């Protein structure tokens, strides 16, 4: 499927919304809270086997792979969320123009997840 130039921003905005929803779902719910969260934990456990390959792909410099690696670290692929690693990979992807990674890094900064939150000291951010 080919994306038209005018549709790209809408798709990116939708992806960002979904990513935030998933991030909040994975990070906010305890693993034993429901059968749905248990399924998510099982899926992450299955993905854990692929983690070395995901890291290799991200280290090769592909921003989509870097974003994905940041996302699974934030979701808790290693058993619990690692926001510091997530932020590292989001920043790598964002520096190459991956807009959703930029947004996710911003969310982590605002929430002080994986980094110190310093909104008063910020001089720039999305929209500035």
């Amino acid at each position: 499927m080919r994306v038209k130039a005018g549709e790209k921003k809408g798709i990116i905005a939708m992806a960002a919304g979904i990513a935030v929803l998933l991030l909040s779902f994975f990070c906010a719910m305890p693993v034993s809270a429901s059968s749905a969260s248990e399924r998510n934990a099982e899926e992450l456990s299955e993905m854990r086997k692929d983690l070395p390959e995901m890291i290799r792909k991200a280290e090769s410099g592909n921003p989509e792979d870097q974003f994905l690696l940041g996302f699974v670290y934030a979701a808790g692929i290693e058993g619990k969320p690692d926001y510091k690693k997530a932020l590292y990979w989001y920043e790598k992807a964002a520096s190459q123009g991956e807009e959703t990674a930029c947004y996710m890094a911003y969310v982590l900064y605002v929430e002080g997840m994986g980094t110190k939150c310093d909104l008063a000291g910020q001089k720039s951010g999305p929209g500035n």
Side-chain angles (χ1 to χ4, degrees):
M1 180 174 99
R2 194 161 189 146
V3 178
K4 295 177 185 173
E7 297 173 336
K8 185 177 179 184
K9 285 192 178 195
I11 291 170
I12 290 171
M14 182 177 70
I18 291 170
V20 170
L21 177 67
L22 290 173
L23 180 62
S24 65
F25 177 75
F26 279 123
C27 299
M29 291 189 68
V31 172
S32 61
S34 70
S35 62
S37 63
E38 288 172 9
R39 276 194 314 270
N40 291 334
E42 288 173 18
E43 290 170 7
L44 284 173
S45 179
E46 285 295 313
M47 289 178 71
R48 201 170 293 129
K49 292 184 272 185
D50 299 327
L51 187 58
E53 178 66 13
M54 294 172 74
I55 292 169
R56 187 192 64 71
K57 286 181 176 180
E59 287 175 341
S60 74
N62 183 304
E64 289 84 13
D65 291 327
Q66 293 169 340
F67 169 76
L68 178 62
L69 187 56
F71 186 80
V72 297
Y73 275 128
I77 195 163
E78 295 181 312
K80 64 180 183 174
D82 189 332
Y83 301 118
K84 195 170 196 168
K85 287 181 182 177
L87 184 58
Y88 173 83
W89 288 108
Y90 286 153
E91 288 176 337
K92 288 274 208 187
S95 71
Q96 296 184 72
E98 173 60 52
E99 293 178 16
T100 307
C102 182
Y103 178 77
M104 295 303 290
Y106 176 74
V107 169
L108 292 181
Y109 275 113
V110 168
E111 296 297 326
M113 300 165 74
T115 187
K116 183 177 176 182
C117 180
D118 183 14
L119 296 178
Q122 278 187 294
K123 294 188 173 145
S124 64
N128 290 345

